[in-house]
Amino acid sequence: QVQLVESGGGLVQAGGSLRLSCAASGRTFSNYAMGWFRQAPGKEREFVAGISWNGGSTFYADSVKGRFTISRDNVKNTVYLQMNTLKPEDTAVYYCLQADGGWWPPSRYDYWGQGTQVTVSS
């Protein structure tokens, strides 16, 4: 019954910016931590960013720290990923995840969106 819908992906040149959104429904959004993951062609899925239930704590992969910002709006039931200074190696399908509790990291990874494609050209 949980539904997560990503949007905001697209094609951008290196150095550019994109903002991804993930709209959630099906259970009380503000109870749960949220996160972003990505999967590049031919590679394993990897963690990008996570955020606690109230936005008080954020976590980032070293590869994106200082360039990406995760945030959430518990009124709009939406989590965002602001991506700046994009690099070709950021090219991937980006997925949002709803955790099984309010804190990051989750103990289960059951609820995923369908993903949105981000392509960064050089």
Side-chain angles (χ1 to χ4, degrees):
Q1 291 186 338
V2 173
Q3 186 176 22
L4 306 171
V5 181
E6 301 98 334
S7 61
L11 174 64
V12 64
Q13 292 188 1
S17 298
L18 287 172
R19 189 181 75 157
L20 306 183
S21 299
C22 175
S25 63
R27 59 182 184 172
T28 304
F29 177 76
S30 61
N31 286 350
Y32 299 100
M34 300 290 295
W36 289 95
F37 292 74
R38 67 187 183 188
Q39 188 166 15
K43 296 185 178 180
E44 299 295 323
R45 181 184 62 191
E46 65 175 352
F47 166 74
V48 176
I51 188 166
S52 62
W53 67 275
N54 62 351
S57 299
T58 57
F59 307 87
Y60 298 95
D62 288 342
S63 59
V64 307
K65 193 173 298 182
R67 299 188 298 120
F68 290 11
T69 303
I70 188 171
S71 61
R72 67 189 297 157
D73 186 333
N74 285 352
V75 174
K76 296 183 177 180
N77 290 357
T78 301
V79 63
Y80 305 95
L81 185 68
Q82 178 67 46
M83 305 186 295
N84 298 326
T85 319
L86 283 161
K87 304 175 181 179
E89 51 263 45
D90 295 319
T91 295
V93 177
Y94 284 71
Y95 299 92
C96 71
L97 168 77
Q98 188 170 66
D100 55 320
W103 299 98
W104 198 266
S107 57
R108 297 183 64 175
Y109 298 79
D110 293 338
Y111 301 113
W112 298 89
Q114 289 75 50
T116 186
Q117 176 71 49
V118 172
T119 303
V120 184
S121 63
S122 60

